[in-house]
Amino acid sequence: MRRVVEFGGRGQGILLLHGLMGRATIWWPVAQWLTRYGRVVGIDARAHGRNPVLTGRTEDFVADAAEVVRDLGPSVVIGHSMGGLHAWALAATHPELVRGIVVEDMAPDQRGKTVDKWKAYFDSWPTPFQSLAHVKEFFGQYGDHFIECFEERDDGYHLIADLERLYPIANEWGERDYWDLIEKIQCPMLAIEAANSAMPPGQMAQMPVRSPGGGTHIVVEGAGHVVHRDQPEIYRGAVEAFLSSLT
């Protein structure tokens, strides 16, 4: 079972961490330009993609990422949503492994939120999908994103990850306040917030302020939760500037 994807490049490590329901290969378009800045590696998180481990809490995901970075050497860690949380938790708990982090649309305090309001939406999916073209059409602007996350089975196409195993992962975020980790980060941070974000307002702007390592916060107009898909050129420009500042 494959859980680490090598995208290529040489030099410093760059670890890519995906969001809930995703997998390492969703980063392929971003990895194509990132390889000029280092050796780019993605990881299938627990309960996602081809990772055979089907459960875990934040500390477990962070331990898995730390294992990969120990092989890469001190790295830049780039995370979207759930992956952003794991990026800052890794930086806070393993400062020797992380040179800088990029957090895309994830806030530290979402206490009280649950996945219950999303379950009806997931139940509305026409599962199984008839083809990857069906998947792409259904998810519209995120079609190219989601086709990476589906697999063919005897009766059609299904999400690779089991939603019932993902609900506890997401519900943990509604039970915990992660500001204590933000306040331990020693490396620089780039916090990229979507203008049309579902995150609690104001929190991402405070993340580099409350982090000892400092950094930059930007809001990307015209972007929803997956900023690197909605506004790829703005996302790329911000990340490339951040990477250049580290060197």
Side-chain angles (χ1 to χ4, degrees):
M1 293 295 233
R2 183 179 65 164
R3 68 182 185 96
V4 176
V5 175
E6 291 272 1
F7 290 107
R10 299 176 64 182
Q12 74 165 354
I14 301 176
L15 177 64
L16 303 177
L17 302 178
H18 62 76
L20 197 73
M21 293 193 291
R23 60 185 306 198
T25 55
I26 64 169
W27 284 111
W28 188 86
V30 172
Q32 300 315 292
W33 52 263
L34 271 179
T35 52
R36 71 188 63 183
Y37 295 95
R39 177 187 170 191
V40 182
V41 171
I43 181 173
D44 282 352
R46 293 169 178 239
H48 295 78
R50 298 307 177 191
N51 193 321
V53 183
L54 299 179
T55 187
R57 289 179 64 81
T58 299
E59 289 77 10
D60 302 312
F61 290 97
V62 171
D64 294 342
E67 180 184 341
V68 175
V69 177
R70 287 190 187 97
D71 289 338
L72 289 175
S75 300
V76 177
V77 184
I78 299 175
H80 168 243
S81 192
M82 175 183 77
L85 163 61
H86 298 160
W88 83 58
L90 178 64
T93 56
H94 297 80
E96 75 285 0
L97 298 179
V98 184
R99 300 186 60 244
I101 60 171
V102 177
V103 178
E104 180 185 349
D105 213 48
M106 189 65 171
D109 187 356
Q110 301 184 63
R111 285 175 295 175
K113 284 191 174 183
T114 72
V115 297
D116 292 345
K117 70 174 184 177
W118 292 103
K119 287 185 177 181
Y121 168 65
F122 297 137
D123 289 342
S124 75
W125 290 4
T127 305
F129 288 81
Q130 296 172 342
S131 70
L132 289 178
H134 188 195
V135 173
K136 187 172 180 177
E137 179 183 82
F138 180 81
F139 289 105
Q141 69 185 93
Y142 294 135
D144 287 332
H145 178 87
F146 271 104
I147 60 173
E148 292 286 346
C149 307
F150 279 74
E151 65 180 355
E152 185 176 15
R153 300 176 189 166
D154 290 343
D155 60 345
Y157 287 82
H158 294 258
L159 189 71
I160 296 172
D162 181 347
L163 286 170
E164 292 299 325
R165 294 187 180 276
L166 302 190
Y167 294 149
I169 294 170
N171 277 332
E172 182 191 356
W173 311 334
E175 300 165 355
R176 299 177 64 174
D177 174 349
Y178 292 93
W179 280 114
D180 62 325
L181 292 174
I182 295 292
E183 292 168 353
K184 294 176 182 175
I185 298 171
Q186 300 297 321
C187 65
M189 173 196 308
L190 171 61
I192 301 176
E193 183 173 5
N196 302 318
S197 177
M199 293 295 122
Q203 290 195 25
M204 291 201 70
Q206 285 297 307
M207 287 167 59
V209 176
R210 294 177 61 170
S211 166
T216 304
H217 165 255
I218 65 169
V219 177
V220 180
E221 296 297 329
H225 185 51
V226 190
V227 180
H228 65 269
R229 288 283 184 178
D230 286 343
Q231 294 288 356
E233 294 305 318
I234 295 174
Y235 176 89
R236 176 176 178 173
V239 173
E240 287 187 324
F242 178 72
L243 292 173
S244 296
S245 75
L246 297 178
T247 56

